[in-house]
Short mmCIF file of all heavy atoms in Angstrom, two decimals:
data_model
loop_
_atom_site.label_atom_id
_atom_site.label_comp_id
_atom_site.label_asym_id
_atom_site.label_seq_id
_atom_site.Cartn_x
_atom_site.Cartn_y
_atom_site.Cartn_z
N LEU R 185 -17.97 -0.97 -49.60
CA LEU R 185 -17.99 -0.03 -50.76
C LEU R 185 -18.47 1.27 -50.30
O LEU R 185 -17.91 2.36 -50.70
CB LEU R 185 -18.92 -0.57 -51.82
CG LEU R 185 -18.79 0.07 -53.20
CD1 LEU R 185 -17.46 -0.07 -53.80
CD2 LEU R 185 -19.86 -0.53 -54.11
N SER R 186 -19.50 1.33 -49.44
CA SER R 186 -20.02 2.58 -48.94
C SER R 186 -18.96 3.33 -48.05
O SER R 186 -18.76 4.53 -48.09
CB SER R 186 -21.29 2.34 -48.07
OG SER R 186 -21.79 3.49 -47.49
N THR R 187 -18.28 2.50 -47.20
CA THR R 187 -17.23 3.07 -46.34
C THR R 187 -16.09 3.64 -47.20
O THR R 187 -15.57 4.75 -46.87
CB THR R 187 -16.64 1.98 -45.37
OG1 THR R 187 -17.69 1.40 -44.59
CG2 THR R 187 -15.52 2.55 -44.52
N ASN R 188 -15.72 2.90 -48.22
CA ASN R 188 -14.71 3.41 -49.12
C ASN R 188 -15.01 4.67 -49.78
O ASN R 188 -14.25 5.62 -49.86
CB ASN R 188 -14.46 2.29 -50.23
CG ASN R 188 -13.32 2.65 -51.17
OD1 ASN R 188 -12.16 2.69 -50.79
ND2 ASN R 188 -13.71 3.02 -52.35
N LEU R 189 -16.31 4.85 -50.21
CA LEU R 189 -16.70 6.10 -50.86
C LEU R 189 -16.66 7.26 -49.88
O LEU R 189 -16.11 8.38 -50.24
CB LEU R 189 -18.16 5.98 -51.35
CG LEU R 189 -18.74 7.22 -51.95
CD1 LEU R 189 -18.01 7.68 -53.18
CD2 LEU R 189 -20.25 7.04 -52.30
N LYS R 190 -17.10 7.00 -48.62
CA LYS R 190 -16.98 8.09 -47.58
C LYS R 190 -15.56 8.51 -47.32
O LYS R 190 -15.32 9.62 -47.11
CB LYS R 190 -17.71 7.62 -46.31
CG LYS R 190 -19.27 7.54 -46.41
CD LYS R 190 -19.93 7.24 -45.14
CE LYS R 190 -19.83 5.76 -44.77
NZ LYS R 190 -20.62 5.37 -43.56
N MET R 191 -14.67 7.49 -47.21
CA MET R 191 -13.32 7.86 -46.83
C MET R 191 -12.66 8.58 -48.09
O MET R 191 -11.77 9.44 -47.88
CB MET R 191 -12.56 6.55 -46.55
CG MET R 191 -13.03 5.80 -45.33
SD MET R 191 -13.43 6.91 -43.91
CE MET R 191 -11.88 7.79 -43.70
N VAL R 192 -12.98 8.18 -49.31
CA VAL R 192 -12.46 8.88 -50.47
C VAL R 192 -12.86 10.33 -50.48
O VAL R 192 -12.07 11.24 -50.71
CB VAL R 192 -12.92 8.19 -51.78
CG1 VAL R 192 -12.66 9.06 -52.98
CG2 VAL R 192 -12.13 6.83 -51.95
N ILE R 193 -14.13 10.59 -50.14
CA ILE R 193 -14.68 11.97 -50.10
C ILE R 193 -13.95 12.76 -48.98
O ILE R 193 -13.64 13.92 -49.15
CB ILE R 193 -16.17 11.94 -49.93
CG1 ILE R 193 -16.84 11.43 -51.15
CG2 ILE R 193 -16.68 13.38 -49.65
CD1 ILE R 193 -18.36 11.15 -51.10
N ALA R 194 -13.68 12.06 -47.84
CA ALA R 194 -12.98 12.75 -46.75
C ALA R 194 -11.57 13.14 -47.17
O ALA R 194 -11.09 14.18 -46.90
CB ALA R 194 -12.98 11.83 -45.54
N GLY R 195 -10.91 12.23 -47.89
CA GLY R 195 -9.59 12.46 -48.42
C GLY R 195 -9.59 13.62 -49.42
O GLY R 195 -8.70 14.45 -49.43
N GLU R 196 -10.66 13.65 -50.25
CA GLU R 196 -10.78 14.72 -51.21
C GLU R 196 -10.96 16.11 -50.54
O GLU R 196 -10.43 17.08 -51.08
CB GLU R 196 -11.97 14.44 -52.16
CG GLU R 196 -11.78 13.34 -53.16
CD GLU R 196 -13.06 13.03 -53.85
OE1 GLU R 196 -14.17 13.44 -53.51
OE2 GLU R 196 -13.01 12.29 -54.86
N ALA R 197 -11.71 16.13 -49.46
CA ALA R 197 -11.95 17.44 -48.78
C ALA R 197 -10.66 18.04 -48.29
O ALA R 197 -10.56 19.25 -48.21
CB ALA R 197 -12.92 17.14 -47.59
N LEU R 198 -9.69 17.21 -48.00
CA LEU R 198 -8.38 17.78 -47.55
C LEU R 198 -7.32 17.89 -48.62
O LEU R 198 -6.54 18.85 -48.61
CB LEU R 198 -7.84 16.95 -46.39
CG LEU R 198 -8.59 17.00 -45.03
CD1 LEU R 198 -7.97 16.08 -44.00
CD2 LEU R 198 -8.58 18.42 -44.52
N SER R 199 -7.36 16.97 -49.60
CA SER R 199 -6.31 16.97 -50.55
C SER R 199 -6.68 17.95 -51.79
O SER R 199 -5.78 18.39 -52.52
CB SER R 199 -6.07 15.61 -51.14
OG SER R 199 -7.20 15.10 -51.73
N GLN R 200 -8.00 18.24 -51.95
CA GLN R 200 -8.50 19.17 -52.86
C GLN R 200 -8.09 18.90 -54.41
O GLN R 200 -7.53 19.78 -55.04
CB GLN R 200 -7.99 20.64 -52.50
CG GLN R 200 -8.46 21.13 -51.14
CD GLN R 200 -9.94 21.61 -51.19
OE1 GLN R 200 -10.22 22.60 -51.79
NE2 GLN R 200 -10.77 20.84 -50.58
N PRO R 201 -8.42 17.79 -54.89
CA PRO R 201 -8.27 17.54 -56.34
C PRO R 201 -9.25 18.48 -57.08
O PRO R 201 -10.20 18.95 -56.49
CB PRO R 201 -8.63 16.13 -56.59
CG PRO R 201 -8.76 15.54 -55.17
CD PRO R 201 -8.98 16.52 -54.19
N LYS R 202 -8.91 18.70 -58.38
CA LYS R 202 -9.70 19.74 -59.11
C LYS R 202 -11.21 19.25 -59.20
O LYS R 202 -12.12 20.06 -58.95
CB LYS R 202 -9.14 19.86 -60.57
CG LYS R 202 -9.84 20.93 -61.31
CD LYS R 202 -9.17 21.14 -62.68
CE LYS R 202 -9.94 22.24 -63.47
NZ LYS R 202 -9.34 22.48 -64.80
N TYR R 203 -11.45 18.05 -59.57
CA TYR R 203 -12.86 17.62 -59.73
C TYR R 203 -13.05 16.52 -58.67
O TYR R 203 -12.58 15.41 -58.77
CB TYR R 203 -13.10 17.03 -61.11
CG TYR R 203 -12.99 18.07 -62.25
CD1 TYR R 203 -11.88 18.04 -63.15
CD2 TYR R 203 -13.95 19.01 -62.35
CE1 TYR R 203 -11.82 19.00 -64.16
CE2 TYR R 203 -13.88 20.05 -63.40
CZ TYR R 203 -12.80 19.95 -64.27
OH TYR R 203 -12.68 20.88 -65.24
N ALA R 204 -13.84 16.90 -57.64
CA ALA R 204 -14.07 15.94 -56.53
C ALA R 204 -15.19 16.47 -55.65
O ALA R 204 -15.37 17.65 -55.43
CB ALA R 204 -12.81 15.82 -55.69
N ILE R 205 -16.05 15.53 -55.20
CA ILE R 205 -17.16 15.86 -54.31
C ILE R 205 -16.56 16.51 -53.05
O ILE R 205 -17.04 17.53 -52.57
CB ILE R 205 -17.92 14.63 -53.92
CG1 ILE R 205 -18.63 14.05 -55.19
CG2 ILE R 205 -18.93 14.90 -52.86
CD1 ILE R 205 -19.38 12.74 -55.02
N GLY R 206 -15.55 15.94 -52.50
CA GLY R 206 -14.92 16.46 -51.26
C GLY R 206 -14.41 17.86 -51.40
O GLY R 206 -14.57 18.73 -50.53
N SER R 207 -13.79 18.17 -52.55
CA SER R 207 -13.31 19.55 -52.84
C SER R 207 -14.44 20.54 -52.83
O SER R 207 -14.31 21.65 -52.29
CB SER R 207 -12.52 19.59 -54.18
OG SER R 207 -11.50 18.67 -54.21
N TYR R 208 -15.57 20.27 -53.48
CA TYR R 208 -16.65 21.15 -53.48
C TYR R 208 -17.38 21.25 -52.14
O TYR R 208 -17.91 22.38 -51.83
CB TYR R 208 -17.64 20.71 -54.63
CG TYR R 208 -17.16 21.16 -55.99
CD1 TYR R 208 -16.14 20.45 -56.62
CD2 TYR R 208 -17.69 22.24 -56.58
CE1 TYR R 208 -15.70 20.82 -57.89
CE2 TYR R 208 -17.20 22.68 -57.80
CZ TYR R 208 -16.23 21.95 -58.48
OH TYR R 208 -15.77 22.39 -59.71
N LEU R 209 -17.40 20.20 -51.37
CA LEU R 209 -17.92 20.25 -50.01
C LEU R 209 -17.09 21.26 -49.23
O LEU R 209 -17.63 22.09 -48.47
CB LEU R 209 -17.86 18.92 -49.33
CG LEU R 209 -19.08 18.06 -49.30
CD1 LEU R 209 -18.77 16.68 -48.78
CD2 LEU R 209 -20.19 18.66 -48.49
N GLN R 210 -15.78 21.12 -49.29
CA GLN R 210 -14.85 22.01 -48.57
C GLN R 210 -15.06 23.48 -49.04
O GLN R 210 -15.03 24.43 -48.24
CB GLN R 210 -13.43 21.60 -48.82
CG GLN R 210 -12.35 22.37 -48.08
CD GLN R 210 -12.41 22.12 -46.59
OE1 GLN R 210 -13.19 21.34 -46.11
NE2 GLN R 210 -11.48 22.74 -45.81
N MET R 211 -15.26 23.62 -50.31
CA MET R 211 -15.46 25.02 -50.85
C MET R 211 -16.77 25.64 -50.31
O MET R 211 -16.80 26.82 -49.88
CB MET R 211 -15.54 24.99 -52.30
CG MET R 211 -15.58 26.40 -53.05
SD MET R 211 -15.51 26.30 -54.78
CE MET R 211 -17.11 25.53 -55.14
N GLU R 212 -17.83 24.83 -50.20
CA GLU R 212 -19.08 25.32 -49.64
C GLU R 212 -18.92 25.69 -48.21
O GLU R 212 -19.45 26.68 -47.74
CB GLU R 212 -20.18 24.27 -49.84
CG GLU R 212 -20.45 23.74 -51.20
CD GLU R 212 -21.19 24.85 -52.10
OE1 GLU R 212 -21.41 25.94 -51.61
OE2 GLU R 212 -21.58 24.44 -53.20
N LYS R 213 -18.12 24.94 -47.54
CA LYS R 213 -17.83 25.21 -46.06
C LYS R 213 -17.10 26.51 -45.90
O LYS R 213 -17.38 27.32 -45.03
CB LYS R 213 -17.12 24.02 -45.44
CG LYS R 213 -16.64 24.22 -44.03
CD LYS R 213 -15.15 24.35 -44.00
CE LYS R 213 -14.65 24.56 -42.54
NZ LYS R 213 -13.18 24.89 -42.58
N MET R 214 -16.07 26.72 -46.78
CA MET R 214 -15.28 27.96 -46.70
C MET R 214 -16.11 29.21 -46.90
O MET R 214 -15.89 30.26 -46.29
CB MET R 214 -14.16 27.90 -47.81
CG MET R 214 -13.02 26.93 -47.40
SD MET R 214 -11.84 26.78 -48.79
CE MET R 214 -11.28 28.48 -49.01
N TYR R 215 -17.15 29.08 -47.79
CA TYR R 215 -18.05 30.23 -48.09
C TYR R 215 -19.26 30.32 -47.14
O TYR R 215 -20.17 31.05 -47.33
CB TYR R 215 -18.49 30.25 -49.54
CG TYR R 215 -17.41 30.59 -50.49
CD1 TYR R 215 -16.86 29.59 -51.33
CD2 TYR R 215 -16.89 31.88 -50.65
CE1 TYR R 215 -15.83 29.93 -52.22
CE2 TYR R 215 -15.89 32.16 -51.56
CZ TYR R 215 -15.36 31.21 -52.30
OH TYR R 215 -14.36 31.50 -53.19
N LEU R 216 -19.22 29.43 -46.14
CA LEU R 216 -20.37 29.26 -45.15
C LEU R 216 -21.66 29.09 -45.87
O LEU R 216 -22.70 29.57 -45.40
CB LEU R 216 -20.32 30.53 -44.28
CG LEU R 216 -19.14 30.79 -43.35
CD1 LEU R 216 -19.34 32.06 -42.59
CD2 LEU R 216 -18.95 29.60 -42.39
N ASN R 217 -21.59 28.35 -46.97
CA ASN R 217 -22.86 28.07 -47.70
C ASN R 217 -23.43 26.73 -47.19
O ASN R 217 -23.22 25.69 -47.85
CB ASN R 217 -22.60 28.08 -49.22
CG ASN R 217 -23.86 27.72 -50.04
OD1 ASN R 217 -24.93 27.96 -49.50
ND2 ASN R 217 -23.67 27.42 -51.29
N THR R 218 -24.08 26.72 -46.12
CA THR R 218 -24.53 25.45 -45.43
C THR R 218 -25.52 24.76 -46.32
O THR R 218 -25.58 23.54 -46.31
CB THR R 218 -25.06 25.77 -44.08
OG1 THR R 218 -24.25 26.65 -43.37
CG2 THR R 218 -25.35 24.49 -43.21
N SER R 219 -26.35 25.51 -46.98
CA SER R 219 -27.33 24.88 -47.91
C SER R 219 -26.60 24.05 -49.00
O SER R 219 -27.09 22.95 -49.46
CB SER R 219 -28.24 25.91 -48.53
OG SER R 219 -27.55 26.82 -49.35
N GLY R 220 -25.44 24.58 -49.48
CA GLY R 220 -24.68 23.81 -50.46
C GLY R 220 -24.08 22.57 -49.86
O GLY R 220 -24.02 21.50 -50.50
N VAL R 221 -23.68 22.59 -48.58
CA VAL R 221 -23.13 21.41 -47.87
C VAL R 221 -24.27 20.39 -47.75
O VAL R 221 -24.05 19.19 -48.04
CB VAL R 221 -22.64 21.81 -46.43
CG1 VAL R 221 -22.24 20.52 -45.73
CG2 VAL R 221 -21.41 22.76 -46.58
N PHE R 222 -25.48 20.79 -47.36
CA PHE R 222 -26.62 19.95 -47.24
C PHE R 222 -26.93 19.32 -48.58
O PHE R 222 -27.24 18.09 -48.70
CB PHE R 222 -27.83 20.69 -46.75
CG PHE R 222 -27.91 20.68 -45.23
CD1 PHE R 222 -26.94 21.10 -44.41
CD2 PHE R 222 -29.10 20.29 -44.63
CE1 PHE R 222 -26.98 21.12 -43.07
CE2 PHE R 222 -29.19 20.25 -43.22
CZ PHE R 222 -28.15 20.69 -42.46
N ALA R 223 -26.83 20.08 -49.61
CA ALA R 223 -27.15 19.61 -51.04
C ALA R 223 -26.19 18.46 -51.41
O ALA R 223 -26.57 17.52 -51.97
CB ALA R 223 -27.06 20.75 -52.04
N TRP R 224 -24.90 18.75 -51.17
CA TRP R 224 -23.90 17.69 -51.45
C TRP R 224 -24.12 16.46 -50.62
O TRP R 224 -23.88 15.30 -51.08
CB TRP R 224 -22.47 18.23 -51.25
CG TRP R 224 -21.96 19.02 -52.43
CD1 TRP R 224 -21.73 20.29 -52.55
CD2 TRP R 224 -21.69 18.40 -53.72
NE1 TRP R 224 -21.29 20.64 -53.81
CE2 TRP R 224 -21.26 19.53 -54.56
CE3 TRP R 224 -21.76 17.16 -54.28
CZ2 TRP R 224 -20.85 19.32 -55.88
CZ3 TRP R 224 -21.40 16.96 -55.61
CH2 TRP R 224 -20.92 18.03 -56.39
N ILE R 225 -24.52 16.60 -49.35
CA ILE R 225 -24.86 15.45 -48.54
C ILE R 225 -25.94 14.62 -49.14
O ILE R 225 -25.91 13.32 -49.17
CB ILE R 225 -25.13 15.87 -47.09
CG1 ILE R 225 -23.93 16.41 -46.40
CG2 ILE R 225 -25.79 14.72 -46.31
CD1 ILE R 225 -24.23 17.05 -45.03
N ILE R 226 -26.97 15.29 -49.61
CA ILE R 226 -28.12 14.62 -50.32
C ILE R 226 -27.64 13.86 -51.48
O ILE R 226 -28.02 12.70 -51.68
CB ILE R 226 -29.21 15.63 -50.69
CG1 ILE R 226 -29.89 16.20 -49.41
CG2 ILE R 226 -30.24 14.97 -51.64
CD1 ILE R 226 -30.76 17.38 -49.72
N ILE R 227 -26.72 14.39 -52.30
CA ILE R 227 -26.11 13.75 -53.43
C ILE R 227 -25.41 12.56 -53.03
O ILE R 227 -25.49 11.47 -53.69
CB ILE R 227 -25.27 14.73 -54.23
CG1 ILE R 227 -26.14 15.87 -54.87
CG2 ILE R 227 -24.52 14.07 -55.36
CD1 ILE R 227 -25.41 17.05 -55.39
N ILE R 228 -24.53 12.71 -51.99
CA ILE R 228 -23.76 11.55 -51.54
C ILE R 228 -24.66 10.44 -51.07
O ILE R 228 -24.39 9.20 -51.29
CB ILE R 228 -22.83 11.98 -50.39
CG1 ILE R 228 -21.73 12.98 -50.90
CG2 ILE R 228 -22.12 10.83 -49.73
CD1 ILE R 228 -21.01 13.72 -49.83
N LEU R 229 -25.77 10.76 -50.34
CA LEU R 229 -26.70 9.70 -49.83
C LEU R 229 -27.30 9.02 -51.05
O LEU R 229 -27.53 7.79 -51.00
CB LEU R 229 -27.72 10.40 -48.98
CG LEU R 229 -27.23 10.87 -47.56
CD1 LEU R 229 -28.34 11.69 -46.82
CD2 LEU R 229 -26.79 9.70 -46.72
N PHE R 230 -27.68 9.84 -52.02
CA PHE R 230 -28.26 9.20 -53.21
C PHE R 230 -27.33 8.27 -53.96
O PHE R 230 -27.69 7.20 -54.35
CB PHE R 230 -28.76 10.40 -54.21
CG PHE R 230 -29.35 9.81 -55.48
CD1 PHE R 230 -30.65 9.38 -55.50
CD2 PHE R 230 -28.61 9.84 -56.66
CE1 PHE R 230 -31.16 8.82 -56.74
CE2 PHE R 230 -29.16 9.41 -57.81
CZ PHE R 230 -30.46 8.89 -57.80
N ILE R 231 -26.12 8.69 -54.09
CA ILE R 231 -25.10 7.90 -54.73
C ILE R 231 -24.93 6.57 -53.96
O ILE R 231 -24.82 5.42 -54.52
CB ILE R 231 -23.70 8.59 -54.89
CG1 ILE R 231 -23.84 9.73 -55.91
CG2 ILE R 231 -22.64 7.63 -55.31
CD1 ILE R 231 -22.68 10.66 -55.90
N SER R 232 -24.77 6.70 -52.61
CA SER R 232 -24.65 5.50 -51.73
C SER R 232 -25.80 4.53 -51.92
O SER R 232 -25.61 3.32 -51.96
CB SER R 232 -24.50 5.89 -50.37
OG SER R 232 -23.37 6.69 -50.07
#
Side-chain angles (χ1 to χ4, degrees):
L185 194 61
S186 179
T187 300
N188 182 70
L189 177 63
K190 287 187 284 187
M191 297 317 304
V192 164
I193 292 171
E196 290 174 342
L198 290 179
S199 63
Q200 298 282 291
K202 185 176 180 181
Y203 296 108
I205 293 172
S207 299
Y208 280 78
L209 262 173
Q210 183 71 358
M211 186 175 68
E212 301 290 6
K213 174 251 182 186
M214 285 172 61
Y215 288 108
L216 297 178
N217 183 16
T218 313
S219 63
V221 174
F222 271 54
W224 275 112
I225 289 171
I226 291 169
I227 292 167
I228 293 165
L229 290 173
F230 177 76
I231 292 169
S232 297

